[in-house]
Amino acid sequence: MPKLTINGKTVDAPEGATVLEAARMAEIDIPTLCHHPKLTPFGGCRLCIVEIKGIPRPVTSCTTPVSEGMEVTTSSPQIEDLRKTVLELILSDHPNDCMVCERAGDCTLQEMAYTYGIRENKFAGERRVYEKKDGNPFIERDLEKCIMCGRCVKVCREVQGVEAIDFGYRGFKAKICTAYEKDLNCEFCGQCVSVCPTGALTGKMWSLKGRKKDVREVDTTCAYCGTGCNITLHVKGNEVVRVTSREDTLNEGWLCVKGRFGYKFINSPDRLTKPLIRRDGRFEEVSWEEAFDCIANKLTEIKAAFGADAIGGLSSARCTNEENYAFQKMIRAAVGTNNVDHCARL
Ligand code: SF4
Ligand code: SF4
Ligand code: SF4
């Protein structure tokens, strides 16, 4: 295990760790934009530069492995000046429309600009202008806000295994695009949206529905399948306006298209909110007590007339483990039959 010093502090880092990882283990902050702990290092944004004794120029800490006896300095007037210049260069080709941006208040670039006090920009010049809108149904791609960090490309390749997007063109014309610049037509998992550090990728459905400060976050479990991914509902008033997922959960922050974008049913006015009983061929709304009494009476009648095995219970893979456990317990223990199954058998 290599022993190094970072800002004079001795750190034991695991073999193969990068200087950035070692610093974060020692709770020493190094700013980054392109780095993501679950993706391979890129070294693209250059914000994580540090000084290492014996190396005549700053190096990117996210791509430099630790070695025995290394002496690292993460912050100095020269390093901070370089970081500020890097940020100014990025922001010189950025719309800076935080007032209406979906990510304002939850944007790493905005946070960095605040930290480094960037107000005036000495690099004002030509800016990229993209008028073409992507017609895909889920993901708003605002390429003018893209800082070319490459996180979206990496997550699509390394986590989702789809490779729907990549770097295209070179220099000032470089951009993240699909093959032949067609509209995005992929799995729409939204992993790229979740790792984007700016407002370049957002959900079309949550446009102008409320930003981070406007919503209440409620952690829950996705009900679409038995995997049980952890999700966070962003609730404004009584409406779910967005779904995200935390990185410290069993699904590590990743979701599928249903979990991330299939939430509109929650607020649909077509949803049943009261039980229905069919009488004379027509459904009538009834209270929960009346519905439960009806179910209990019918089950009791059938059991008395034909035995418990005349009854079967079908549960759902869209329920949680706990709900399915309670259901099979009711069928087995209360009704008295092992006729219990669920819809995933289809
Ligand atoms: S991406 Fe960030 S910095 Fe850019 S406009 Fe949106 S909130 Fe502001
Ligand atoms: S939504 Fe998923 S599949 Fe589509 S580009 Fe983003 S990461 Fe790739
Ligand atoms: S779209 Fe977002 S994640 Fe992708 S390169 Fe641009 S800023 Fe980075």
Side-chain angles (χ1 to χ4, degrees):
M1 190 178 266
K3 196 185 284 284
L4 67 157
T5 61
I6 306 179
N7 299 346
K9 184 176 179 179
T10 303
V11 180
D12 289 314
E15 201 68 52
T18 63
V19 171
L20 178 66
E21 287 164 343
R24 289 193 171 166
M25 273 173 227
E27 298 186 345
I28 295 169
D29 186 43
I30 297 177
T32 58
L33 276 170
C34 71
H35 175 79
H36 189 285
K38 293 186 176 150
L39 303 173
T40 54
F42 180 41
C45 75
R46 322 306 285 180
L47 273 186
C48 72
I49 47 172
V50 294
E51 290 166 357
I52 296 177
K53 192 173 178 188
I55 300 180
R57 62 186 194 292
V59 295
T60 48
S61 59
C62 72
T63 54
T64 306
V66 296
S67 60
E68 184 63 34
M70 199 177 238
E71 291 177 36
V72 180
T73 303
T74 66
S75 182
S76 68
Q78 190 209 0
I79 289 286
E80 297 302 348
D81 211 39
L82 284 170
R83 284 184 184 143
K84 189 169 181 187
T85 303
V86 166
L87 277 170
E88 284 172 334
L89 283 165
I90 292 172
L91 289 166
S92 71
D93 186 19
H94 193 83
N96 301 329
D97 63 351
C98 305
M99 285 84 77
V100 290
C101 183
E102 289 297 323
R103 288 297 298 271
D106 184 28
C107 170
T108 316
L109 181 61
Q110 188 188 42
E111 198 54 39
M112 294 282 167
Y114 176 80
T115 304
Y116 283 86
I118 297 173
R119 197 178 287 269
E120 302 299 323
N121 198 321
K122 58 181 178 278
F123 298 111
E126 192 183 351
R127 286 192 170 175
R128 297 165 298 168
V129 178
Y130 299 110
E131 279 162 7
K132 179 183 174 292
K133 287 284 175 192
D134 193 319
N136 81 75
F138 296 113
I139 299 175
E140 193 67 71
R141 300 171 66 223
D142 188 342
L143 297 180
E144 291 172 16
K145 289 180 188 162
C146 174
I147 58 169
M148 303 295 283
C149 71
R151 282 189 186 195
C152 55
V153 175
K154 280 175 176 292
V155 82
C156 192
R157 180 183 302 146
E158 296 173 11
V159 173
Q160 203 64 15
V162 173
E163 303 192 49
I165 44 177
D166 208 337
F167 289 90
Y169 306 96
R170 289 290 177 272
F172 187 69
K173 292 189 174 160
K175 61 177 160 181
I176 306 295
C177 54
T178 60
Y180 307 109
E181 296 202 52
K182 291 188 174 170
D183 286 352
L184 192 60
N185 184 10
C186 59
E187 294 184 359
F188 294 116
C189 61
Q191 263 49 294
C192 51
V193 177
S194 72
V195 298
C196 181
T198 72
L201 297 177
T202 55
K204 287 188 174 175
M205 288 153 60
W206 63 71
S207 170
L208 303 178
K209 288 277 190 178
R211 297 189 282 200
K212 192 167 175 70
K213 67 168 182 37
D214 305 316
V215 299
R216 186 164 47 93
E217 296 188 5
V218 181
D219 293 334
T220 184
T221 309
C222 177
Y224 270 113
C225 80
T227 306
C229 289
N230 284 264
I231 57 175
T232 301
L233 304 178
H234 297 236
V235 184
K236 188 177 177 198
N238 201 29
E239 185 186 358
V240 175
V241 295
R242 186 180 169 192
V243 172
T244 57
S245 180
R246 298 196 326 272
E247 285 177 21
D248 59 350
T249 57
L250 78 121
N251 46 305
E252 301 192 11
W254 314 131
L255 291 173
C256 77
V257 60
K258 293 178 293 178
R260 197 180 298 280
F261 294 115
Y263 60 83
K264 280 213 159 171
F265 73 93
I266 299 172
N267 299 106
S268 169
D270 297 334
R271 283 190 72 176
L272 298 180
T273 53
K274 290 190 178 147
L276 304 173
I277 290 181
R278 196 200 310 256
R279 290 186 180 125
D280 302 326
R282 290 165 55 99
F283 283 114
E284 283 177 26
E285 279 191 359
V286 295
S287 67
W288 283 104
E289 288 71 23
E290 192 176 348
F292 288 141
D293 284 347
C294 174
I295 294 165
N297 291 338
K298 295 269 183 196
L299 289 178
T300 308
E301 280 171 25
I302 295 167
K303 187 173 170 181
F306 306 105
D309 282 342
I311 297 169
L314 289 175
S315 186
S316 172
R318 274 105 184 125
C319 297
T320 62
N321 280 344
E322 291 79 3
E323 287 162 338
N324 276 318
Y325 179 83
F327 184 78
Q328 64 82 32
K329 196 80 175 169
M330 183 189 78
I331 294 292
R332 289 198 166 100
V335 177
T337 177
N338 286 324
N339 291 340
V340 59
D341 213 327
H342 67 97
C343 65
R345 183 98 49 198
L346 291 172

